[in-house]
Amino acid sequence: MSFPKNFLWGGATAANQCEGAWKTGGKGESCADHMTAGCRQSPRRITRTIEAGVNYPSHEAINFYHHYEEDIALFAEMGFKVYRMSINWTRIYPQGDESTPNPEGLEFYRRVFEECHKHGIEPLVTLSHYEMPFALAERYGGWTNRQCIDFFLNYCRTVFTEYRDLVRYWLTFNEINILANSFGGYMGGGILPEADSLMFGALEESQAVRSARFQALHHQFVASAKAVILAHEINPDNQVGCMIAGSACYPLTCRPEDLLAAQKRMQMGNYFCGDVQVRGEYPHFARRFFQENGIEIHQEKEDATLLKQGHVDFYSFSYYMSSCASSDPEHAQSAGNMMSGVRNPYLQTSDWGWQIDPEGLRWYLNEIYGRYHIPLMVVENGLGAVDKISEDGKIHDPYRIAYLREHIQQMQQALEDGVDLIGYTPWGCIDLVSASTGEMEKRYGFIYVDKNNEGQGTLKRIKKDSFDWYKKVIATQGEDLD
Ligand code: BG6
């Protein structure tokens, strides 16, 4: 079976990882602007003030802000039908709590969306991709504060209204389930650590901090539901999705205890947020989880109704890897996107230790579709790898082509299985800053950007071999994957 005619082929980025121009056009500081560069061995730091002489990669990133016309033309050349990007909240409301928007920010995204349409590309817009205004984190405690729901809704109303005729596909919070993890407080929830700290530093947290994190997550659930309701009111054609960091987790052995461990990981890693956003209610296992972890969250009377009414239209997710769960604490952990786990002896890993598992994508698609029965979209997938310019001046990236080919084949299988899969936007379709490490040289793109980890380079764009390959894949609707 080939992909349906209207399948949304494209690519994905996020504002804080590609736009740069962090102080241009009236933009305020976002949480991402306070994260230094790091690498696999040395984690990024979160700093309250911007330190002189330190590399903060979001400040310039790949300067999409000034290169968007060139970049969108390249996406169009590959045949993109959709381009997933995010609006940086701080371009529209620099501090987050203003009552009037910043006209220059509104104008910038209008130009970007118009440019997409000029090329026949449909924008798919994430409203919040790790880009909370830093002022909200500093002055309000980020999403732990219920007032943020109103600030967010104000921002949503502005952009839904302003781009009513330009954007139809929206995602509320990128990888909302990052807040279900101890390291997700700052990036996902704007919860500032007490002192300057390492990005993945807060693994040991007190009961109070844990409760605050789940309170923040609850506020995002309500904000997301209200945004869905509002989006439909402003334009009934709007389609709004959730965005979950998809993690397939297998039992390491057939020991029943391992099976239970894997089930628990699937529950808290995927279904906890998915159930609230798709089914409109907390899952059955939430009560015990809260109880055993000393978590108490406060819900207002209207929340249950809002969650029910504001269920999403489609389920989108990122998928990079899978992991295993074991009841034996001795087993080796593997690195990974959000949820690391026990190493799977049958899988290869990327240079960053992420376990490559195309079949896991098919399994995950079937699992999620079986649970929710709403359209699915893979809005992130790809291989972060080091690319080298070869002597012929080209970038040969067969490893990336192989990774993507195998994942597309498994999507094809899932379609055969009967899954309603509507789109695919591989991550970092143009090289950009890595979210977890802040590196430039962890590259995902079809388009190379000349910039190194120290922030030096001409920013020149060069097509990689995977560029022509993906162009052919789209042109043949996935028939020709060679
Ligand atoms: C997802 C995020 O977790 O994975 C992206 O939504 C991120 O923002 C992507 O860039 C890949 O992760 P990394 O750490 O390799 O950039």
Side-chain angles (χ1 to χ4, degrees), residues 17 129 174-175 320 337 354 380 427 434-436 442 444:
Q17 292 169 257
H129 192 129
N174 180 64
E175 295 188 333
Y320 293 92
N337 182 34
W354 295 18
E380 288 187 30
W427 177 248
S434 156
S436 59
K442 186 181 187 190
Y444 287 88

Side-chain angles (χ1 to χ4, degrees), residues 428-448:
C429 45
I430 179 165
D431 290 350
L432 38 63
V433 175
S434 156
S436 59
T437 65
E439 291 163 298
M440 257 314 293
E441 291 171 36
K442 186 181 187 190
R443 299 174 185 276
Y444 287 88
F446 302 112
I447 302 160
Y448 182 90

